[in-house]
Amino acid sequence: MKLPHVDYEAPQTVSEAIELLAEYQDDANVLAGGQSLIPLLALRLAHPAVLIDINGVGELSGVSATDGWVAIGAMTREYVAEASETIADAVPLLAAALPLIGHEAIRSRGTIGGSLAHADPAAELPAVARALDAELVVRGPSGERVVPAAEWFEGYLATSRSPDELLVEVRFPAAGRGTGTSFQEVARRHGDFAIVGLAASLTLADGAISDARLAFAGLSDVPVRAVDAEDLLAGEAPSAELFDEAARRATDDLDPPADLHGSSDYRKKVAAALVRRGLRAAADNADERQ
Ligand SMILES: Cc1cc2nc3c(=O)[nH]c(=O)nc-3n(C[C@H](O)[C@H](O)[C@H](O)COP(=O)(O)OP(=O)(O)OC[C@H]3O[C@@H](n4cnc5c(N)ncnc54)[C@H](O)[C@@H]3O)c2cc1C
């Protein structure tokens, strides 16, 4: 399908991009990797008057580690993040999720910031950001603000970013000693969006769980943290019985949407299986990182 007519701007700096966003506001869409936006344009599901293409803004790409955090520029391509040793060492949950996004061709254009700004509830990176309490850094005409992941995702493809703000960076806390992680998902075919996905992280200290994090993709219009299950796990020694109970608590109150890919009940059963599987894998990895 051909794209509709749309004006085009190609800023070379963050300041220029913000000036353009301030001028066009809701009439503009930022163009990053285009892997979600271009199909939306072609299907006439997005109708911007102007595209602000940030592919030429070099300062938005890169991965750096400081003070227990890993900062990733919004325009960092998914395949670049996938190959980053810094991310593999310090944010293993993100490293595990990245190869599950679409196919190599998608990841060679798609960006970390694009995935989080698009906020598809079935996508991997929003669930990772929620599980790890990532911070999203946005810049607009009145300066910079840091948004916790818990306040970023507001609904289906909706975030708390204002129309005149650019997502410039995402920060993930580095995993400490004894932290094991796992990203689990069920999709119809390799490379498809997950029917259900789970980001899991466990920290073990002296044989007990000192920190547990579980966030689902595909069960609501935003990524969902399983807080009751996390509370149950904290302070306990890992065991099959504990993980069974955590799976029950994580899914009992869920009412996931039904669609062509699965009923609500099917999604709940898959979610429970992923919790058991994810916790087992995270506990094994945690032992290795002691
Ligand atoms: C066939 C196919 C399969 C896919 N499978 C998966 C999958 O399994 N899992 C998955 O997670 N994703 C999947 N994707 C989507 C892919 O990961 C996209 O790359 C990603 O969702 C969007 O990133 P992008 O850089 O392409 O953003 P774009 O498409 O350029 O932009 C997406 C949205 O974010 C906004 N935006 C982008 N960057 C910024 C910024 N810095 N500041 C403010 N707003 C911004 C845009 O305006 C737009 O609204 C798939 C895509 C395709 C085509």
Side-chain angles (χ1 to χ4, degrees), residues 70-240:
V70 171
I72 307 177
M75 272 305 291
T76 307
R77 306 281 173 196
E78 289 156 351
Y79 88 97
V80 170
E82 196 180 339
S84 160
E85 283 183 19
T86 303
I87 292 176
D89 284 348
V91 200
L93 181 56
L94 178 60
L98 282 161
L100 302 174
I101 299 175
H103 302 277
E104 279 178 27
I106 309 289
R107 300 197 296 274
S108 75
R109 293 299 302 164
T111 64
I112 300 295
S115 176
L116 293 164
H118 188 57
D120 188 317
E124 287 81 3
L125 300 193
V128 172
R130 272 300 270 125
L132 297 183
D133 289 323
E135 294 181 345
L136 296 104
V137 184
V138 291
R139 216 175 289 164
S142 48
E144 194 167 279
R145 64 191 182 100
V146 178
V147 186
E151 295 167 21
W152 178 254
F153 302 102
E154 289 197 329
Y156 183 72
L157 307 186
T159 70
S160 55
R161 181 183 76 86
S162 302
D164 60 359
E165 287 178 322
L166 186 69
L167 175 60
V168 292
E169 186 176 274
V170 189
R171 298 175 188 154
F172 291 90
R177 210 163 148 247
T179 298
T181 58
S182 171
F183 198 98
Q184 301 284 331
E185 70 178 36
V186 168
R188 282 177 72 91
R189 292 170 308 189
H190 170 72
D192 280 3
F193 273 97
I195 297 173
V196 183
L198 174 78
S201 171
L202 283 185
T203 304
L204 300 185
D206 300 326
I209 297 167
S210 58
D211 185 57
R213 288 150 183 275
L214 297 167
F216 289 113
L219 293 185
S220 174
D221 58 354
V222 290
V224 178
R225 271 294 275 272
V227 181
D228 282 354
E230 293 175 356
D231 290 347
L232 169 83
L233 291 161
E236 302 293 327
S239 70

